[in-house]
Amino acid sequence: MKYCAVVVTYNRKELLKECINALQNQTIKLDKIIIINNNCTDGTTEYLKDLELREEDIKHIQLSQNVGGAGGFHEGIKYAYNENYDMFWIMDDDTIPYNNSFEELLKCSENPLCDKYGFICSHVEWIDGTACNMNIPAVTSDWNSYLKNDIIKVKNSSFVSVVFNRSVIEEFGLPIKEFFIWGDDTEFTLRISKKLQGYMAINSVVQHKMNANHGISFVNEEKGRIDRYFYRYRNKFYIAKKSSVKSIINYFKMILLSVFQIIFSNSNHKIKKILIILKGFTYGLFFNPSVEQLSKQSMPDN
């Protein structure tokens, strides 16, 4: 088995250094750490070029433009697949694994209870040891069936420490790069879990070094970050359309609730926020990107 990590980075050099150091000190050695550089401008590029020359386990892939997290993971998983790796460990650059995080994921993947798994994710903590609110997966109705074995059944996962094997990529294709940001991980893991069960390995723990441990709050968002929420509302509509009528109804409820919360809040830029929501919804009506599939015949001979 050949193991690799795929890390997408954008202008967080110090956190990336910490992430790479943690990956290089796993109790189960990774064959390669693949860093997707989203055209960083903070010195990350120079750091990675030098590191790649000095460290055999580092592969630096420089992109010509920032294609977002979705585009980065799309390119990283494609590269790893075409380089004939068997298991891909996916994470953002602000993910800091503990030394045994990958070992515990492997233990779960080898457990007979997890036969033909779709994906396996870690338990994600914030910097104070509490659960990271941005990375809590949706669980199945029988989520606790394997709880005594330190395994939870889940429907989806974020890309903050999750593993897939190459047969899953062959069957389900790649993350949708057109998402740019927001929801690409949810869409991808939901796509898989419609057929194959997803799991959380409780004993595989990573730390997500976000600035604050809270969920998304568009109502209170600052002006400089408002525009990016377009992707959230557009992509959520796509996921709802691919799921069920109930999901579409829930999407419209979310839209209406967001608008009312903005109207009756004390926040600034109310009109712009409402226009962003409507723009995301409108584009979502016609947003239907295709899933890129990888052919088994495309593998290189080693």
Side-chain angles (χ1 to χ4, degrees), residues 119 121 136-139 154-158 185-187 189-190 193 198:
F119 60 90
C121 64
I136 298 175
V139 298
V154 298
K155 298 178 183 178
N156 61 13
S157 170
S158 72
D185 44 11
T186 299
E187 186 282 326
T189 49
L190 282 175
S193 65

Side-chain angles (χ1 to χ4, degrees), residues 7-8 45-46 121-122 133 137 150 153 177 198 204 258 262 276 282 300:
V7 182
V8 176
T45 300
E46 293 73 19
C121 64
S122 299
N133 292 328
D150 299 319
K153 291 184 177 182
K177 60 185 177 182
S204 175
S258 296
I262 291 169
I276 287 292
T282 303

Side-chain angles (χ1 to χ4, degrees), residues 2-280:
K2 292 176 62 180
Y3 306 129
C4 73
V6 176
V7 182
V8 176
T9 188
Y10 182 66
N11 287 351
R12 290 193 289 207
K13 184 173 67 172
E14 296 307 315
L15 282 171
L16 175 63
K17 288 180 180 180
E18 195 173 348
C19 175
I20 291 173
N21 181 65
L23 291 173
Q24 290 181 318
N25 285 284
Q26 291 297 300
T27 52
I28 300 293
K29 181 176 173 57
L30 295 161
D31 294 285
K32 192 69 71 174
I33 300 170
I34 301 165
I35 313 295
I36 307 299
N37 179 351
N38 251 330
N39 199 24
C40 295
T41 58
D42 66 341
T44 294
T45 300
E46 293 73 19
Y47 160 71
L48 288 173
K49 285 180 178 178
D50 178 67
L51 188 66
E52 186 177 31
L53 290 173
R54 293 185 288 106
E55 307 282 352
E56 292 184 355
D57 59 346
I58 300 295
K59 175 61 181 178
H60 169 219
I61 299 178
Q62 171 76 44
L63 302 183
S64 60
Q65 61 181 332
N66 180 7
V67 295
F73 286 117
H74 176 101
E75 295 300 328
I77 294 172
K78 180 194 287 189
Y79 175 87
Y81 179 88
N82 287 329
E83 289 296 309
N84 209 17
Y85 289 98
D86 299 294
M87 181 176 283
F88 320 121
W89 188 16
I90 311 302
M91 67 189 69
D92 290 316
D93 54 7
D94 58 352
T95 304
I96 314 300
Y98 291 96
N99 289 355
N100 68 337
S101 298
F102 187 56
E103 180 180 358
E104 292 296 335
L105 288 170
L106 283 181
K107 285 180 182 178
C108 186
S109 73
E110 294 165 356
N111 191 315
L113 294 172
C114 301
D115 185 42
K116 296 182 180 179
Y117 67 90
F119 60 90
I120 301 173
C121 64
S122 299
H123 168 56
V124 184
E125 296 179 342
W126 193 50
I127 57 177
D128 64 354
T130 60
C132 188
N133 292 328
M134 284 287 290
N135 307 114
I136 298 175
V139 298
T140 64
S141 58
D142 60 342
W143 64 274
N144 58 350
S145 300
Y146 303 153
L147 190 58
K148 65 180 180 180
N149 301 99
D150 299 319
I151 299 168
I152 292 176
K153 291 184 177 182
V154 298
K155 298 178 183 178
N156 61 13
S157 170
S158 72
F159 279 166
V160 177
S161 187
V162 59
V163 294
F164 312 95
N165 62 46
R166 67 180 298 106
S167 65
V168 168
I169 304 303
E170 287 170 358
E171 182 172 359
F172 297 96
L174 295 168
I176 298 175
K177 60 185 177 182
E178 288 84 0
F179 269 46
F180 190 70
I181 56 171
W182 256 320
D184 51 305
D185 44 11
T186 299
E187 186 282 326
F188 187 57
T189 49
L190 282 175
R191 191 195 318 164
I192 295 169
S193 65
K194 288 179 180 179
K195 185 173 180 180
L196 299 177
Q197 181 62 58
Y199 300 98
M200 174 191 282
I202 297 175
N203 293 327
S204 175
V205 182
V206 301
Q207 190 177 89
H208 193 185
K209 286 202 165 182
M210 302 175 61
N211 290 330
N213 189 21
H214 56 68
I216 296 168
S217 177
F218 189 33
V219 175
N220 299 313
E221 193 58 86
E222 299 175 359
K223 182 179 180 180
R225 292 172 53 90
I226 290 175
D227 289 338
R228 61 168 33 203
Y229 280 78
F230 158 76
Y231 298 105
R232 179 173 188 251
Y233 288 98
R234 182 198 65 178
N235 297 346
K236 274 185 169 290
F237 198 2
Y238 174 91
I239 295 170
K241 290 187 298 182
K242 294 294 182 179
S243 298
S244 64
V245 173
K246 181 180 179 181
S247 295
I248 295 174
I249 293 172
N250 287 335
Y251 172 82
F252 282 109
K253 288 180 179 178
M254 180 198 70
I255 289 284
L256 290 173
L257 179 61
S258 296
V259 171
F260 278 111
Q261 285 177 333
I262 291 169
I263 291 173
F264 293 104
S265 71
N266 294 320
S267 66
N268 299 318
H269 315 292
K270 291 184 180 182
I271 294 177
K272 182 173 182 179
K273 289 177 180 178
I274 292 172
L275 289 176
I276 287 292
I277 293 173
L278 295 178
K279 180 182 177 182

